[in-house]
Amino acid sequence: MSRLDSFIRRLEAQRACINRAVSLVAALPGPVIEVGLGNGRTFDHLRDRTGNREIFAFDRQVAAHPACVPDEAHLLLGDFRAMLAKAAASLGGKVALCHADIGSGDEAASQALGAEIAPLIDALMAPGGIVVGDQPMRAARWEELPLPAGIEPGRYFIWRVRI
Ligand SMILES: C[S@@+](CC[C@H](N)C(=O)[O-])C[C@H]1O[C@@H](n2cnc3c(N)ncnc32)[C@H](O)[C@@H]1O
């Protein structure tokens, strides 16, 4: 498969999984967290699909399109590990939907980062919440859900936080 095909499939998987996750939390109140603001593409998509929900975005820096930069109160800048831990004071147990898009191209490093931040994300999640992401992650409360039709296993992941 060409790199172009692989890139397009990754984005299709990302969009399909985010859309599925948004529909799964339709009846669950609570904010959204975007772990990996990047250039703001998926933040913008979440904003478009989730209506009035608050969205808190995490990244070590702002590199997003100017139209896709959250206001100061919703932008948590710094290393994920520090900022997710810090967010527990205000968001602990409340988040309905987490999208974690943290991959860097170094597969081993990305997976190691996913393993490190999974418990920190878990601490923010409301019972019944949904975590969707680009890395395999684990937490005792998380149950892996099937992917939307046509998405190759391992390209993206969806978990439900057990109640
Ligand atoms: C794949 S990009 C996110 C792309 C974004 N979701 C979008 O659609 O534009 C991953 C982001 O994670 C951030 N990142 C990676 N490791 C990080 C860490 N340890 N702490 C904070 N940010 C980190 C990078 O700066 C990068 O912007």
Side-chain angles (χ1 to χ4, degrees):
M1 185 190 301
S2 74
R3 289 183 60 213
L4 177 62
D5 285 335
S6 176
F7 179 66
I8 289 168
R9 285 197 192 181
R10 191 182 101 76
L11 293 186
E12 284 174 346
Q14 185 174 57
R15 182 180 57 186
C17 291
I18 290 173
N19 289 348
R20 167 70 58 85
V22 168
S23 71
L24 288 169
V25 298
L28 183 69
V32 174
I33 59 172
E34 166 79 330
V35 183
L37 175 65
N39 73 25
R41 266 192 307 250
T42 52
F43 169 75
D44 191 43
H45 190 70
L46 282 164
R47 186 168 61 175
D48 183 64
R49 296 301 165 107
T50 58
N52 298 335
R53 284 201 204 243
E54 271 194 296
I55 307 179
F56 295 88
F58 294 75
D59 209 296
R60 56 163 65 99
Q61 76 234 336
V62 176
H65 183 280
C68 302
V69 180
D71 64 50
E72 215 175 296
H74 294 87
L75 183 58
L76 292 102
L77 287 183
D79 190 275
F80 291 149
R81 290 160 282 219
M83 299 312 289
L84 287 164
K86 194 169 171 188
S90 52
L91 297 177
K94 295 184 183 161
V95 172
L97 170 58
C98 167
H99 174 231
D101 184 20
I102 63 170
S104 62
D106 178 336
E107 195 177 327
S110 301
Q111 290 191 5
L113 179 60
E116 267 190 275
I117 67 172
L120 302 173
I121 291 172
D122 185 47
L124 304 185
M125 297 304 299
I130 296 289
V131 180
V132 55
D134 70 334
Q135 301 300 319
M137 298 194 286
R138 292 164 62 126
R141 289 198 301 162
W142 300 3
E143 164 196 13
E144 192 164 349
L145 299 183
L147 297 171
I151 306 301
E152 194 185 319
R155 260 190 198 276
Y156 235 72
F157 304 87
I158 307 177
W159 299 271
R160 188 196 311 272
V161 179
R162 291 193 187 87
I163 293 176

